[in-house]
Amino acid sequence: TLRVESGENVQVVSHSFTMAQLAHYLSLRMLNDVTDKTMLPGNYDFELLLTREMPSPSDMTDAVRDQLGLRLQLQKASSDVLIIDTAAQPSGN
């Protein structure tokens, strides 16, 4: 389960999250892909206190390192991209 409390600060509390689930959550918060490369099995409880509603990526990286002891490392990676070059209004049947 995940509980997020807002206010002056944002407190994220997780119960029984895998590292992959944490990476997915961080991807959503940082608007950037985060991949779990820890190879740590099992589920974890954690608390993460953020100083504002939408922290910058560097603030998020610092908070994860300082509070959770995990390092987020920027790496270049290839990914699939879908390109839509035209769009048309469907015709009525």
Side-chain angles (χ1 to χ4, degrees):
T1 60
L2 177 68
R3 182 179 85 231
V4 179
E5 298 176 6
S6 264
E8 186 174 309
N9 294 322
V10 176
Q11 181 181 21
V12 181
V13 180
S14 163
H15 297 287
S16 194
F17 252 37
T18 64
M19 285 293 120
Q21 289 171 313
L22 175 60
H24 178 71
Y25 172 77
L26 294 174
S27 293
L28 296 174
R29 290 291 300 200
M30 297 177 73
L31 303 176
N32 205 342
D33 288 337
V34 177
T35 303
D36 170 29
K37 291 191 175 183
T38 63
M39 304 296 287
L40 294 171
N43 296 344
Y44 300 88
D45 297 341
F46 70 87
E47 288 187 38
L48 184 62
L49 181 63
L50 306 172
T51 56
R52 57 180 181 224
E53 195 69 33
M54 289 302 290
S56 70
S58 64
D59 291 339
M60 205 58 170
T61 299
D62 291 345
V64 168
R65 181 193 64 229
D66 296 344
Q67 297 176 43
L68 303 180
L70 298 171
R71 183 180 67 183
L72 298 179
Q73 184 175 0
L74 183 61
Q75 292 183 337
K76 291 186 178 190
S78 62
S79 62
D80 293 334
V81 177
L82 176 64
I83 298 173
I84 300 172
D85 59 2
T86 62
Q89 185 77 1
S91 62
N93 290 334

